Amino acid sequence: MSIESDLKKDGITVVGKLDTLSVNSISRDIAEKLCKAFPNQNFIFQNLFIALSRIPMYIADIPEGFAEATYFYKNSSMYFKQGLKIEELEKFAVHEFIHYLQEIKDKKGHLVRLGLCDFGELKICGMALNEGAVQYMASKALNTEQEIVKYYGISLPTISPSYYPILCNLVAQMAYITGEEALYDSTFYGSSVFKEKFANLCGVDSLLKIESNMDKIMEAEEKAIKLNNKLMYDELEVMKSQKVAKKVENYKKKIKEIFFETQKLIFTSFFNTQFNKILTTADIDEYRLRLYNYKNYIGISDDYSEFNEFYINKMMDLDAKYEKIINNTNLTVVSNSKIAKFFRKVKAILTANVELSK
């Protein structure tokens, strides 16, 4: 099958080649942004600029609801949506340029790895995780501020409010656990650092389930977008239109359910595992702080209470563990810190509120 046929399968029709001046401007701008945003990756600006500027870039018709820029790995080329200004091209290109930098091909030119995504003979693993990570890093490069957005009945904090907001939120939760540098290294170079670190902290089974769930979320979103386009642009009979609208709602409901299932798996697998490693009161203080700060990453809905319940239960468990530690002279005891006192007060307030609401 030709490259043109492959593009048309995705609804992309090439209009023409992007002019050299625009190519150089985009490449220079993004090389500067990547060097500044990821100093520990040891990028060399001149080398990065030259590599990016050599990518064939085209203007194309791209369907509504899909990305305004697409990197097509089969011919290592970039396609931008027709009608965008140069400033918009630069913004949308960051995500796709990261895809270019992260791809690993075999001697025959077949893609075998794309950052966190492995292209096996029978199965592709981690596609959505990689897309979320790339967009998370693209937003970092663009210095996008975090916003609270609402999609599918979920209110969540994200630095990518318009593109893959749900996947970016889940990636941010995972990076909070592993540290961002592990995420950056694996996303750019396809190393196993991020996945191994997450698996060590949360378990291999949890990692595999999270990867699978994120793929399901991305698949459901893509199907919902295509059906929405059909509602907007196709002249459908009333009965057909209602049927399509019902399918869209079902996909939205599915996304919401999988998101909360995945979020719960991330924080429970991590904090339950780390709880069993607590040996000293200093460990308790650190655990309290990490759990308390996790609230800044979670998505919520009108009927959501799982994290608050988990938090309160863990505060109670920590108090019990604290008593065991200070009554065991064989363990190292750290003085009762101010932060420990603070979190006990927080727990007391939350517990009181729960009792009052019953």
Side-chain angles (χ1 to χ4, degrees):
M1 187 178 288
S2 68
I3 295 297
E4 189 174 305
S5 298
D6 285 338
L7 289 169
K8 283 185 176 179
K9 278 179 62 180
D10 294 331
I12 299 172
T13 304
V14 177
V15 174
K17 203 159 188 177
L18 189 65
D19 64 276
T20 303
L21 187 63
S22 296
V23 167
N24 288 337
S25 175
I26 292 169
S27 302
R28 184 179 300 105
D29 178 75
I30 294 176
E32 288 176 350
K33 283 181 167 57
L34 292 178
C35 287
K36 185 177 180 180
F38 308 105
N40 293 335
Q41 298 304 314
N42 299 315
F43 290 131
I44 299 173
F45 169 77
Q46 192 63 25
N47 293 347
L48 195 56
F49 165 69
I50 291 172
L52 298 180
S53 64
R54 288 176 176 171
I55 301 173
M57 301 184 200
Y58 300 89
I59 300 297
D61 282 328
I62 298 176
E64 287 296 324
F66 287 83
E68 279 75 2
T70 298
Y71 177 70
F72 202 63
Y73 71 87
K74 288 187 178 180
N75 63 348
S76 300
S77 298
M78 193 83 64
Y79 299 88
F80 295 104
K81 190 171 184 177
Q82 186 173 211
L84 296 177
K85 297 178 181 178
I86 188 66
E87 299 83 12
E88 294 174 309
L89 293 178
E90 291 171 351
K91 181 177 73 171
F92 296 126
V94 180
H95 181 109
E96 306 307 322
F97 276 25
I98 294 176
H99 275 322
Y100 165 76
L101 294 171
Q102 66 175 184
E103 70 176 6
I104 298 173
K105 294 180 177 179
D106 61 20
K107 292 180 180 179
K108 295 181 179 180
H110 299 141
L111 191 64
V112 295
R113 187 173 299 124
L114 197 65
L116 298 168
C117 179
D118 293 312
F119 288 76
E121 292 183 8
L122 302 176
K123 188 178 180 181
I124 298 174
C125 300
M127 177 67 80
L129 174 60
N130 188 63
E131 284 297 330
V134 169
Q135 184 55 37
Y136 180 79
M137 291 164 61
S139 297
K140 287 280 186 180
L142 292 165
N143 203 26
T144 308
E145 292 186 4
Q146 181 174 281
E147 294 183 30
I148 304 295
V149 297
K150 189 169 186 177
Y151 286 95
Y152 315 117
I154 310 165
S155 294
L156 50 82
T158 179
I159 58 171
S160 181
S162 301
Y163 302 95
Y164 294 126
I166 289 178
L167 295 180
C168 282
N169 172 271
L170 293 173
V171 166
Q173 293 190 42
M174 296 175 77
Y176 176 74
I177 290 169
T178 63
E180 290 188 334
E181 289 303 326
L183 176 70
Y184 299 159
D185 183 80
S186 292
T187 305
F188 274 125
Y189 304 114
S191 75
S192 60
V193 175
F194 174 74
K195 288 187 179 182
E196 284 182 359
K197 194 168 184 180
F198 189 87
N200 287 335
L201 293 168
C202 303
V204 174
D205 290 343
S206 294
L207 172 62
L208 295 176
K209 182 63 176 176
I210 290 163
E211 273 191 331
S212 174
N213 279 0
M214 291 176 77
D215 284 337
K216 290 176 183 177
I217 288 172
M218 187 168 73
E219 181 182 0
E221 283 196 290
E222 289 176 350
K223 288 180 177 179
I225 288 170
K226 288 179 180 179
L227 289 173
N228 263 328
N229 285 343
K230 183 172 286 194
L231 285 173
M232 290 173 63
Y233 301 110
D234 293 356
E235 293 183 4
L236 303 176
E237 295 178 359
V238 175
M239 290 294 290
K240 178 70 172 176
S241 179
Q242 290 175 344
K243 193 173 181 180
V244 171
K246 180 65 175 177
K247 285 184 178 180
V248 171
E249 288 306 309
N250 287 338
Y251 281 126
K252 289 180 178 180
K253 183 180 179 182
K254 181 180 180 181
I255 291 166
K256 181 179 179 180
E257 290 174 352
I258 298 173
F259 171 82
F260 283 120
E261 176 190 331
T262 309
Q263 175 174 266
K264 181 180 180 180
L265 182 56
I266 294 172
F267 69 73
T268 56
S269 61
F270 175 66
F271 287 107
N272 285 338
T273 301
Q274 297 310 300
F275 184 84
N276 295 327
K277 298 178 181 179
I278 293 174
L279 297 175
T280 69
T281 55
D283 294 340
I284 289 178
D285 288 350
E286 182 180 351
Y287 184 100
R288 287 184 196 274
L289 185 60
R290 292 214 72 183
L291 180 57
Y292 179 76
N293 287 335
Y294 198 86
K295 74 183 189 322
N296 298 319
Y297 293 82
I298 64 166
I300 62 173
S301 65
D302 293 338
D303 56 349
Y304 180 79
S305 61
E306 280 189 303
F307 181 75
N308 283 344
E309 292 169 2
F310 181 84
Y311 180 87
I312 291 170
N313 288 332
K314 274 291 176 279
M315 290 297 110
M316 293 177 177
D317 292 342
L318 286 173
D319 272 354
K321 179 154 283 198
Y322 179 85
E323 293 300 322
K324 287 182 180 180
I325 289 174
I326 63 173
N327 290 320
N328 186 346
T329 56
N330 293 324
L331 292 174
T332 303
V333 179
V334 179
S335 62
N336 196 7
S337 67
K338 291 181 179 178
I339 195 166
K341 291 178 181 177
F342 168 73
F343 280 117
R344 279 200 294 279
K345 288 180 181 178
V346 170
K347 188 272 292 185
I349 293 169
L350 288 173
T351 305
N353 285 340
V354 170
E355 292 298 325
L356 287 171
S357 64
K358 289 182 178 179

